[in-house]
Amino acid sequence: MSNGSEGATPGFLVWRLSMKWRVAVDRAVAPLGLTHAQYSLVASLHGMQRSGERPSQRRLADHTGLEPLYVSKLARALETAGLLERTRDPRDPRAVQLALTEQGHEVTRRAIEVVHGLLQQLLDPLGGLDSARTREFTHELTALLDAPLDPFSENETEQS
């Protein structure tokens, strides 16, 4: 276990791992003109487009777990950089649909390769990307992400 992790709570370790990952991705995609948050957006959009979807900003926010207002801000910056286009949804004039441009596809493809390499490095201690331990780790992370979190539920129980 790394220094400072002895006796740490799971919440602290999740936070430290997420920070380690964010910083590593930020550094890795910076030469491509992206931040970690922008990468999360374009990589998710890339995957959704490959599945035939042209998502709205709201749908992409739900998919990434980012706040809709933040996705809107990121999308505007990525549009200014020429990496994506924002268009009104013909079925809902309030909704904005997103799509990668050709340049956006190229930058995203390169960024995905770089981040995939980082992911392999991160998962080496578990036996690599295709190991049984990594599959179990992924299953556990999914269970945690699916668990509801309500910061007020414990307080309500204590007040009852």
Side-chain angles (χ1 to χ4, degrees):
M1 206 177 267
S2 63
N3 286 342
S5 297
E6 191 80 25
T9 66
F12 179 74
L13 294 173
V14 166
W15 177 75
R16 286 286 311 272
L17 181 59
S18 71
M19 294 304 295
K20 175 182 178 175
W21 181 249
R22 187 192 60 76
V23 168
V25 173
D26 262 338
R27 288 180 181 154
V29 299
L32 298 170
L34 297 172
T35 64
H36 179 264
Q38 289 172 328
Y39 169 76
S40 297
L41 214 67
V42 296
S44 294
L45 185 53
H46 176 76
M48 295 167 97
Q49 280 187 254
R50 286 183 66 178
S51 299
E53 189 174 349
R54 184 176 177 134
S56 66
Q57 285 183 175
R58 178 60 171 199
R59 168 82 176 97
L60 192 56
D62 291 344
H63 178 80
T64 60
L66 297 170
E67 291 294 322
L69 193 58
Y70 189 43
V71 168
S72 178
K73 178 183 169 187
L74 291 169
R76 281 192 304 274
L78 290 164
E79 181 181 42
T80 300
L83 301 180
L84 67 76
E85 60 185 19
R86 300 164 69 236
T87 56
R88 291 278 169 207
D89 184 336
R91 297 169 310 232
D92 182 357
R94 297 167 300 164
V96 175
Q97 290 181 317
L98 303 174
L100 291 172
T101 62
E102 282 205 33
Q103 179 186 358
H105 278 290
E106 178 57 28
V107 168
T108 301
R109 186 191 59 73
R110 290 175 25 219
I112 288 170
E113 287 176 13
V114 169
V115 173
H116 187 77
L118 276 178
L119 185 58
Q120 290 195 42
Q121 288 176 38
L122 178 69
L123 296 172
D124 269 351
L126 299 182
L129 194 56
D130 297 321
S131 75
R133 284 184 70 198
T134 295
R135 284 190 295 279
E136 182 59 28
F137 179 61
T138 302
H139 177 75
E140 298 295 335
L141 288 173
T142 302
L144 293 175
L145 285 170
D146 288 345
L149 283 181
D150 182 358
F152 304 107
S153 66
E154 188 173 294
N155 294 338
E156 290 172 7
T157 322
E158 290 175 6
Q159 293 173 359
S160 298

